[in-house]
Amino acid sequence: EKGGYDHFMLKEIFEQPHTIFDCLRGRLDATNGTITMSGIQQYAEQLTQAKRIIIVACGTSWHAGLVAEYIFEEVTRIPVEVEYASEFRYRNPVVGEGDVIIAISQSGETADTLVAIESAKEKGAIILGVVNVVGSSIARTSHGGAYTHAGPEIGVASTKAFTGQLAVLTMMALKIGHLKGTLSEKRYTHLLNELNDVPEKVALALEQKDHIEALALKYKDATDALYLGRGYNFPVALEGALKLKEISYIHAEGYPAAEMKHGPIALVDDKLPVFFVATKDSFHEKVLSNMQEIKARKGKVIAIVSEGDDAANALADDLITVPFADELIAPMINAIPMQLLAYYIGVAKGYDVDKPRNLAKSVTVE
Ligand code: M6R
């Protein structure tokens, strides 16, 4: 049932070209320039008129929410807040009619996320679920939404569900931006094509497998690691750090690259691996100067870069190259090396990567 792979986690990482394709299939039509999502279209009016969107989730799903915040604000100009479900539910949040809540959950059974949307629903908010498990509690509680269609995720560390969430959320944002007219026709068409190319680019990113395994052996004995990124790649850095913590038990922190000067830079010495998510985007020059700052303090820089990026090449100790994609789309591709790296480090350390200690696949108690 592991389909010839050593672990479910590896199988699920490698399924991503297919799961993302399945997620886009029947919804995205790049040739005709359409996105069809019936569970979203029903709420088109509420969405285009929403004063704000609140995203609630936990863990990896919360990271997908952060990427979505950047995308939604860019293309729909609707203000977005991303909340940890556990914090949102307990603080008597200001929420009610006119608000749209997007709940993101692989399992659809996370207790905090479920209770958060139940109470927001009672107060009159529209709830849209982005859920993987069909018929789950969060899916049933939501007014509408869209399934991620990633198939069963067995590994405790979320991988293919994350990229599926990003695919759904990106389609939602493009759909709403297009309806609202906040997204130009040209940019809309470009992004549809970019989205269409994701499965193929993810497959190319997966070809880095052996190289990433070698890097895993090189860095597996680190006691700490830092993950840095800016803009759309900031949540990817957070997700990379979470994957490493969960699977390899190495203490890792993700930060917006510019925040490092406000504290974490004190950690940098010649033993600290610093993973930069540094693909070509509007923040690229800034990220390169952050890399320089780490090098100047003798940190080890491992950079995830776009193919052919010579500037980053000159600065990094090690490189992982991925195909170039528009910055809105890139997180789906850049997540792949993060997943592989955590996987191979966990395996090299002899840990049970499918069932890391102390973790449950879904957290159904608060
Ligand atoms: O099923 P959910 O997406 O609601 O789960 C949320 C988190 O519990 C989950 O993402 C968790 O952080 C994973 N272990 C991440 O790999």
Side-chain angles (χ1 to χ4, degrees), residues 58-61 105-108 110 156-158 165 242-243 246 363:
C58 304
T60 289
S61 299
S105 177
Q106 187 288 126
S107 62
T110 298
V156 164
S158 186
Q165 290 163 345
L242 179 64
K243 288 285 88 87
E246 288 186 293
V363 184

Side-chain angles (χ1 to χ4, degrees), residues 15-320:
E15 276 172 354
Q16 288 173 109
H18 301 287
T19 53
I20 299 169
F21 180 81
D22 287 343
C23 179
L24 303 175
R25 184 171 51 192
R27 292 170 167 165
L28 174 81
D29 183 342
T31 319
N32 292 307
T34 57
I35 293 171
T36 313
M37 297 174 100
S38 55
I40 304 298
Q41 270 144 255
Q42 276 175 275
Y43 296 94
E45 207 183 305
Q46 287 93 333
L47 276 162
T48 50
Q49 287 170 14
K51 297 187 298 293
R52 60 170 180 171
I53 293 172
I54 303 168
I55 297 179
V56 293
C58 304
T60 289
S61 299
W62 185 80
H63 295 153
L66 280 185
V67 177
E69 173 186 19
Y70 283 56
I71 300 176
F72 268 86
E73 290 202 346
E74 177 65 33
V75 307
T76 71
R77 308 312 294 161
I78 302 169
V80 178
E81 286 163 41
V82 191
E83 300 269 2
Y84 282 117
S86 56
E87 289 298 316
F88 184 73
R89 66 178 276 204
Y90 280 115
R91 68 152 198 275
N92 189 16
V94 183
V95 59
E97 269 169 49
D99 283 324
V100 176
I101 310 256
I102 301 176
I104 310 172
S105 177
Q106 187 288 126
S107 62
E109 302 297 343
T110 298
D112 283 323
T113 310
L114 179 59
V115 179
I117 59 169
E118 280 169 351
S119 60
K121 191 179 176 183
E122 264 168 39
K123 292 177 181 159
I126 299 285
I127 318 291
L128 301 177
V130 174
V131 176
N132 194 41
V133 177
V134 176
S136 56
S137 304
I138 293 171
R140 282 184 282 113
T141 306
S142 302
H143 294 106
Y147 285 114
T148 44
H149 296 315
E153 192 181 63
I154 311 292
V156 164
S158 186
T159 54
K160 62 177 181 172
F162 178 66
T163 47
Q165 290 163 345
L166 294 180
V168 164
L169 291 160
T170 307
M171 283 189 284
M172 280 172 70
L174 298 186
K175 176 93 205 166
I176 300 159
H178 191 235
L179 286 172
K180 271 192 89 170
T182 43
L183 179 61
S184 74
E185 202 61 42
K186 188 172 166 227
R187 182 106 178 98
Y188 173 74
T189 309
H190 173 70
L191 288 169
L192 289 194
N193 283 307
E194 282 282 298
L195 204 43
N196 210 34
D197 290 345
V198 169
E200 203 179 303
K201 289 181 184 173
V202 164
L204 289 169
L206 286 166
E207 288 178 7
Q208 295 287 307
K209 162 185 179 289
D210 293 342
H211 172 57
I212 295 173
E213 186 171 9
L215 290 179
L217 294 175
K218 181 168 170 188
Y219 292 104
K220 75 177 181 20
D221 295 319
T223 53
D224 305 85
L226 209 52
Y227 283 74
L228 302 174
R230 298 174 86 117
Y232 298 95
N233 279 327
F234 154 52
V236 179
L238 293 182
E239 175 59 7
L242 179 64
K243 288 285 88 87
L244 192 72
K245 278 182 267 210
E246 288 186 293
I247 299 304
S248 74
Y249 314 148
I250 293 174
H251 167 234
E253 293 196 49
Y255 262 94
E259 266 297 305
M260 116 200 133
K261 286 203 217 66
H262 300 278
I265 200 161
L267 295 168
V268 178
D269 63 14
D270 60 355
K271 285 176 199 60
L272 185 78
V274 182
F275 296 95
F276 273 91
V277 192
T279 46
K280 279 246 167 93
D281 56 18
S282 19
F283 317 90
H284 195 54
E285 293 303 315
K286 301 273 174 206
V287 178
L288 291 180
S289 68
N290 295 137
M291 272 160 75
Q292 237 145 9
E293 286 154 359
I294 297 289
K295 274 317 310 164
R297 286 155 188 90
K298 306 203 163 29
K300 295 272 170 290
V301 171
I302 306 98
I304 294 161
V305 300
S306 309
E307 268 161 6
D309 183 357
D310 297 330
N313 197 344
L315 282 171
D317 293 279
D318 285 295
L319 281 185
I320 301 171

